[in-house]
Amino acid sequence: AREAAAQAGRDPAKLTLSIEGAGMLAPGTLERTAEGLSRLREMGVHHAVLGVHPRHAEASEAAPLIEEFAAKHLAALRA
């Protein structure tokens, strides 16, 4: 994307990269998901959209997964 921006005469540094489907939260996958997001960040991705695995999509299961992921990993991923 950055190369295409440069070829089009645009400043690649001003490009904001986003990805949907960057990870799937489920019990036992939070560390792996955080590692994947960290790699995406290293590649220049600014925004990533995660999902909750369908088996855990009920609010009673999804909310604790999201809260645990945020508590353990969000600060480091934002740094």
Side-chain angles (χ1 to χ4, degrees):
R2 294 194 189 285
E3 185 177 319
Q7 289 175 353
R10 304 215 176 199
D11 182 357
K14 292 186 177 181
L15 190 63
T16 299
L17 299 177
S18 301
I19 185 168
E20 186 174 346
M24 188 71 60
L25 298 178
T29 68
L30 302 185
E31 288 291 326
R32 184 176 35 193
T33 300
E35 290 169 4
L37 290 174
S38 182
R39 284 191 300 277
L40 287 172
R41 184 169 183 232
E42 290 170 6
M43 294 169 37
V45 173
H46 295 94
H47 302 282
V49 179
L50 301 176
V52 174
H53 192 283
R55 289 186 185 158
H56 309 284
E58 293 293 323
S60 62
E61 289 187 69
L65 275 174
I66 295 166
E67 290 169 3
E68 180 182 355
F69 183 82
K72 290 183 176 179
H73 304 289
L74 195 54
L77 290 167
R78 287 183 169 172

